[in-house]
Amino acid sequence: MIDKEAVKYHIRGLLEAIGDDPDREGLKETPDRVARMYEEVFEGMNYTNDEIAEMFTKTFEVSKEGTHDMVLVKDIEVFSYCEHHMALMYDMKVAVAYIPKDRVLGLSKVARIADMVAKRLQLQERIGKDIAYIMQKCTGSDDVAVVISGCHSCMTARGIRKSNSKTLTTTFTGRFETDDKLVRRLMIMVGDA
């Protein structure tokens, strides 16, 4: 769990360290606001990938003839914080595809998994791997693909300052690793992620 009192204490110290007065009008409640915000935006840190899989594992039976088709949920909007600079990763769009076995996962669960995984100090590459792992656990399918496109403020707002740069990452498991035709079809369906 997020230690809100420790966050408040350290945010106050950070405000002092950058040369501001934490007791001035605009900053008096900032440590408390930041602590409450961190509790919300880092909620995923409270759970392991296995616990997230248990939380969002609602599946539905499908007919045998429908289980060879790809299920794709795309344009899932998430944000996260880079573990290197604690900088915002934003305008992130996640696409999650899988080939069902006997059951399909509730569509909202796919979005909830992506959202919860992003609510951690993260790397974009790890977000994809975490989502793929959880999807495999929830669906029982080895065939999972995750495509993520996002902007990183550690590149757009500081350092190199390339405001139009985007990062695209892919995570493929099972047939998505070996079937080029399947991957081409997926990438056409995903479009510009």
Side-chain angles (χ1 to χ4, degrees):
M1 291 297 203
I2 304 289
D3 183 342
K4 286 182 12 180
E5 292 307 312
V7 172
K8 289 194 282 190
Y9 173 81
H10 291 291
I11 292 298
R12 181 178 175 80
L14 179 62
L15 292 170
E16 290 170 344
I18 63 172
D20 216 326
D21 175 10
D23 292 318
R24 75 173 170 83
E25 179 66 28
L27 295 179
K28 283 182 185 176
E29 296 176 21
T30 296
D32 183 59
R33 284 193 293 268
V34 171
R36 285 185 280 123
M37 179 188 79
Y38 278 9
E39 190 173 48
E40 178 183 336
V41 301
F42 294 127
E43 179 186 8
M45 295 179 74
N46 296 321
Y47 306 102
T48 66
N49 286 341
D50 290 325
E51 289 170 330
I52 294 171
E54 287 175 27
M55 291 166 39
F56 301 122
T57 194
K58 179 67 176 171
T59 60
F60 303 93
E61 189 175 341
V62 292
S63 64
K64 292 283 185 201
E65 55 274 357
T67 60
H68 301 292
D69 295 330
M70 180 189 328
V71 174
L72 169 65
V73 181
K74 69 177 200 169
D75 296 329
I76 303 168
E77 294 180 358
V78 301
F79 67 89
S80 191
Y81 290 87
C82 164
E83 67 183 32
H84 296 144
H85 299 98
M86 292 184 71
L88 186 64
M89 295 188 286
Y90 61 97
D91 288 344
M92 295 181 83
K93 289 189 178 179
V94 178
V96 180
Y98 70 101
I99 299 174
K101 285 194 172 183
D102 299 330
R103 303 183 68 76
V104 292
L105 187 64
L107 295 176
S108 71
K109 303 306 183 232
V110 178
R112 290 178 191 279
I113 289 166
D115 194 52
M116 189 63 78
V117 165
K119 289 183 174 183
R120 300 171 171 165
L121 289 174
Q122 274 286 25
L123 299 173
Q124 183 170 320
E125 299 88 340
R126 189 181 311 121
I127 292 172
K129 288 184 187 329
D130 289 350
I131 292 170
Y133 173 84
I134 294 166
M135 288 295 297
Q136 286 178 310
K137 297 264 308 186
C138 289
T139 64
S141 175
D142 293 327
D143 309 315
V144 176
V146 181
V147 179
I148 305 172
S149 173
C151 298
H152 296 239
S153 60
C154 56
M155 279 197 50
T156 62
R158 61 154 306 276
I160 192 91
R161 293 190 183 129
K162 298 300 179 193
S163 60
N164 292 322
S165 67
K166 284 191 172 189
T167 300
L168 182 70
T169 56
T170 59
T171 304
F172 297 145
T173 68
R175 285 182 41 205
F176 287 100
E177 290 181 291
T178 59
D179 187 337
D180 291 340
K181 184 177 174 185
L182 181 64
V183 172
R184 277 194 301 278
R185 187 171 140 223
L186 167 70
M187 296 309 281
I188 289 168
M189 292 169 66
V190 168
D192 192 24

